Amino acid sequence: MKVLVTVKRVVDYNVRIQVKPDGSGVMLDGVKMSMNPFDEIALEEAIRLKEAGKATQIVAVSIGPQAVQEQLRSALALGADRAIHIPLDAAPQPVNAARALAGLAGRENPDLILMGKQAIDDDCNQTPQMLAALLGWPQATFASKIELNDKAATVAREVDAGLEFLSVDLPAVISADLRLNVPRYPKLPDIMKARRLPIETVTPEDLGVEFVPEAKLLKVAPPPKRQAGRKVASVDELVAALRERGLLS
Amino acid sequence: MNRESLEFDVVIVGAGPAGLSAACRLMQLANEAGKSLRVCVVEKGAEIGAHIISGAVFEPTALNELFPNWKEQGAPVTVPVENDELHYLLSERRSIKAPGFLIPKPMRNEGNYVISLGRLCRWLAERAEALGAEIFTGFAAADVLYDDAGAVAGVVTGDMGVARDGSKKPNYQPGVELLAPYTIFAEGCRGHLGKRLMERFKLRQEADPQHYGIGIKEIWRIDPSHHRLGHVIHTLGWPLDNETEGGGFVYHDEGGLVSLGLIVALNYRNPYLNPFNEMQRWKHHPVVRRFLEGGTRIGYGARAVNKGGWQSVPRLSFPGGVMAGCEAGFLNPVKIKGNHTAMKTGMLAAEAVFEALQKGGVPDLDGRYRQSWVDKELFRGRNFGPALAKFGTLIGSTFIWIDQNIFRGKLPFTLHNRVPDHATLDRAANSREIDYSKPDGVLSFDRLSSVYLSNTNHEEDQPCHLVLTDPSIPIAQNLPLYDEPAQRYCPAAVYEIVEAPGQGARFQINAQNCVHCKVCDIKDPAQNITWVPPEGGGGPNYVNM
Ligand SMILES: Cc1cc2nc3c(=O)[nH]c(=O)nc-3n(C[C@H](O)[C@H](O)[C@H](O)COP(=O)(O)OP(=O)(O)OC[C@H]3O[C@@H](n4cnc5c(N)ncnc54)[C@H](O)[C@@H]3O)c2cc1C
Ligand SMILES: Cc1cc2nc3c(=O)[nH]c(=O)nc-3n(C[C@H](O)[C@H](O)[C@H](O)COP(=O)(O)OP(=O)(O)OC[C@H]3O[C@@H](n4cnc5c(N)ncnc54)[C@H](O)[C@@H]3O)c2cc1C
Ligand code: SF4
């Protein structure tokens, strides 16, 4: 079974995001970039499927500028068998990412596409769903447990009310939630080996992808500054303060 | 334990200017000689530059030697110092600007550049990789490995996935042995492996104790109308008193940014002194605040610097390895510059090791250092630190001016300061409490909101990386004698005395805030705190610091 895992390069989750003074975006100069944490989880799941003898080949794919190859190398170090770079000047919005991935799926014919439930930069939570729609495949999002047999996957989904269990026929798109697993650390010798492995480049033209116009970014603004808080000495004082503001009746 | 091991020709610990220059120089030498060389650099920061913090006004001497065509190669060294001022801050409001001739010669900055050291390190790392070195970030060298003859045989990286109680988590991964005939230690100031090596090989026997300062730095994006590219200001005096040595800096960098900070010598005496709060109040002086009003603070960090200078340089070579850069203490305390000397001693270390790889034996770094301009430069400024320690800032600076400008550092005597910095504190009972006014949230801030800007993070479930030899000392000894100064000298508020009603005082260590400055390892009066590396990748994620 072949598993395709999507890997997005995003600002590391430890970095406090700062907005450019002109509001045209966020500061990226000198900022640490990483693999989207949910993609790490998706990749970890693929590696575990392979270790369990269920998957045979893991293909990692990333769309964006040359720099995304850094994250593809991390994927190779962690255990992906192949890495594919789809070059674009900038990471596309979900609709076009889904289109490029659908093109690649047509060529690679994976049995399963594992993705993060969302990328922590734009927090769109759209690409997996759009990809499933474009391919006409079943989807299971927010997965916190995946059980696989040859023809189908049983997925526990995290929903507001608790867990929802779905069975989806393969091929399918599954997106990973935080609790699916705890990813492993890359090993130093594997990082070294991964540096010598090839990264395949497949252009959108190779795949015959037709991009559609993307939403125009008008402005990025930081959230309003939080007002300083106040310390209360007792529960009574806290209750009184909440009442004062009409937050408690 | 069964660990994987990897073999190299040279292992380098630390990807600062010293370690990276060593890597570049080694690969240059190998490529010139047509030899293949396996060089490995390990860096505990999550990426190159993540743990790098400096001013920085940069003297390009060593860079000129390493890459004579660095300009064409696009080194991020582009902002020449345009205007160089020294201000004596007399009080909260008053100051005098020193006329040019009064500035000790080595403190002048013609020909120097305002840079971000993090950026320069990224560039050096790219060069080193292009030349063929292997760099691994997010891996701390946790311990030194020795062979049967007692020579250094390499290092072992830290284990990952160990829980707070020492048990193995599901993602546990043992560290890897990195073996090589020679290891270059370039951990920067107060390296934790360097400390062990100095003890084991008795490298400090003929040297004065090392002396230190704490450098606290912020980056601000300021109102463009106040920005003057390449403008450099140093301050002496207020808020530090005459017996506390230190000074401030304000450097106007590109992108509308200003790097500013205060360095406070760690031989201070008053246990109530709080270097962080001194730095916060220093920004309120008109000489500094005029630039900051209307600006935004975007970065914060802190790091120890060594300032013992020439008298404190230890022996550098030992069987199987050498020490370079601030690991050995090559910062020039007169200039408070250590980047050029770190780079140069890294290059010399590479040359010594490359020679030893052919000839065998202990690399001769000591001889190379004694022949180099680093030795001459440090020798010339050798009386600077001890003079300030002995005479205080006012008389000390006068002495330094005469020493440097009239005698060019050639006075026929060498002053010594043999009291280590951890032994200088007065008892709290005999000291004056210092009243630091509350931060205003505009120019001055508290420690936690500052640490926030350093993007510091550590995996929470791991053993505490600040190890107390005797856990009872903070409360039983340091608290009554010195009001536990760790509460104040730590720039990240890691140490707290917490008093729960009815339970008495408790010493709390908020290790996940630690910015890896190493000050606690230096200043604790009982020498009871040992900094060891946390899980690789933890710590600050500085952006162009
Ligand atoms: C990459 C990534 C993506 C994530 N995405 C999501 C997501 O999409 N949706 C989601 O729900 N979660 C998400 N999380 C998880 C989420 O961010 C945190 O795990 C969660 O907020 C933890 O909450 P907590 O209250 O347990 O702990 P904390 O984060 O420690 O605390 C939360 C709040 O409690 C306050 N607090 C902490 N200690 C004290 C104290 N002693 N006294 C008073 N106040 C205190 C803090 O100041 C803070 O305001 C994500 C995490 C990661 C790493
Ligand atoms: C606030 C401040 C201002 C300064 N201003 C100036 C200035 O204007 N001009 C100037 O020339 N100099 C200045 N300096 C001094 C200068 O920054 C240092 O001299 C220089 O950084 C020393 O370089 P280094 O390579 O020896 O060590 P460092 O720069 O400290 O680099 C050491 C590297 O090794 C890593 N490391 C440490 N231990 C381990 C381990 N066990 N395993 C793996 N990795 C490890 C660290 O994470 C770090 O990346 C300033 C310093 C400070 C703190
Ligand atoms: S705990 Fe020690 S090393 Fe860490 S920030 Fe505080 S003083 Fe520095």
Side-chain angles (χ1 to χ4, degrees), chain B residues 223-239:
Chain B
D223 181 340
S225 67
H226 296 156
H227 196 271
R228 296 166 62 193
L229 192 64
H231 189 41
V232 161
I233 292 177
H234 290 101
T235 73
L236 287 171
W238 190 87

Side-chain angles (χ1 to χ4, degrees), chain B residues 208 211 245 267 307-309 311-312 333 381-392 396 399-400 414-418:
Chain B
D208 282 1
H211 296 286
E245 189 199 317
N267 62 355
K307 47 196 293 306
Q311 293 88 323
S312 301
R382 73 195 177 287
N383 287 331
F384 176 84
L388 290 182
K390 272 200 170 57
F391 309 134
F399 169 84
I400 288 155
T414 297
L415 301 173
H416 290 273
N417 177 3
R418 296 206 169 95

Side-chain angles (χ1 to χ4, degrees), chain B residues 392-450:
Chain B
T393 305
L394 288 180
I395 298 175
S397 334
T398 315
F399 169 84
I400 288 155
W401 184 83
I402 297 170
D403 175 44
Q404 295 296 307
N405 291 32
I406 312 283
F407 293 98
R408 297 174 184 275
K410 289 187 184 138
L411 284 174
F413 54 85
T414 297
L415 301 173
H416 290 273
N417 177 3
R418 296 206 169 95
V419 185
D421 292 351
H422 64 81
T424 57
L425 284 180
D426 293 335
R427 297 287 161 92
N430 306 330
S431 306
R432 162 185 62 89
E433 281 193 52
I434 305 175
D435 176 28
Y436 296 106
S437 43
K438 264 194 144 181
D440 66 0
V442 181
L443 283 178
S444 47
F445 306 91
D446 64 15
R447 279 186 290 190
L448 286 181
S449 62
S450 303

Side-chain angles (χ1 to χ4, degrees), chain B residues 190 195 212 266-268 271 420-425 466-479 481-490 495 497 507 509 517-531:
Chain B
R190 194 74 171 193
K195 197 171 144 185
Y212 301 90
L266 286 178
N267 62 355
Y268 66 81
D421 292 351
H422 64 81
T424 57
L425 284 180
L466 301 149
V467 182
L468 302 180
T469 311
D470 176 351
S472 74
I473 283 183
I475 300 296
Q477 203 172 305
N478 284 354
L479 189 59
L481 292 182
Y482 307 107
D483 197 37
E484 184 47 276
Q487 304 178 73
R488 288 170 295 273
Y489 59 61
C490 172
Y495 301 104
I497 301 286
F507 190 60
I509 305 182
C517 77
K518 313 276 181 83
V519 166
C520 50
D521 195 288
I522 297 166
K523 187 64 178 170
D524 178 48
Q527 288 292 278
N528 184 45
I529 304 178
T530 303
W531 186 98

Side-chain angles (χ1 to χ4, degrees), chain A residues 9 12-21 27-34 44 48 70 78 182-193 195-196 225, chain B residues 4 6 8 42 46-47 119 122 129 134-136 139 157 160-161 169 171 173 176 178 221 297-299 441 451-453 455-457 459 535 541-544:
Chain A
R9 175 181 168 90
D12 188 84
Y13 72 94
N14 289 311
V15 172
R16 318 292 175 232
I17 301 293
Q18 291 181 349
V19 175
K20 286 188 189 160
M27 302 288 290
L28 294 178
D29 174 34
V31 165
K32 175 165 166 51
M33 305 294 284
S34 296
E44 173 69 27
R48 291 185 187 187
E70 210 182 298
L78 283 163
V182 178
R184 68 196 63 200
Y185 298 96
K187 287 179 168 178
L188 193 145
D190 295 339
I191 295 175
M192 198 158 120
K193 279 184 214 134
R195 289 185 179 157
R196 288 161 180 73
K225 247 205 167 131
Chain B
E4 274 186 82
L6 291 174
F8 296 91
V42 277
E47 63 172 2
R119 218 183 256 138
R122 274 201 300 283
E129 285 185 321
E134 297 263 6
I135 303 179
F136 301 98
F139 291 94
T157 64
M160 311 284 270
K169 294 191 277 185
N171 60 354
Q173 196 182 281
V176 177
L178 305 172
R221 177 176 301 109
R297 186 173 73 142
I298 62 169
V451 177
Y452 180 79
L453 291 178
N455 303 322
T456 296
N457 193 23
E459 163 63 43
E535 192 166 276
N541 283 285
Y542 291 141
V543 179
N544 296 332

Side-chain angles (χ1 to χ4, degrees), chain A residues 139-163:
Chain A
Q139 56 172 296
T141 50
F142 310 107
S144 69
K145 193 168 170 54
I146 302 176
E147 269 168 48
L148 210 59
N149 59 45
D150 283 350
K151 301 216 157 43
T154 309
V155 177
R157 296 184 67 229
E158 293 201 13
V159 293
D160 285 349
L163 291 178

Side-chain angles (χ1 to χ4, degrees), chain B residues 35-67:
Chain B
K35 290 205 155 72
S36 83
L37 201 67
R38 290 161 306 164
V39 173
C40 154
V41 185
V42 277
E43 164 58 49
K44 67 179 161 68
E47 63 172 2
I48 301 291
H51 290 183
I52 291 295
I53 162 170
S54 194
V57 168
F58 179 65
E59 207 172 295
T61 33
L63 182 60
N64 290 337
E65 295 175 21
L66 187 60
F67 293 108

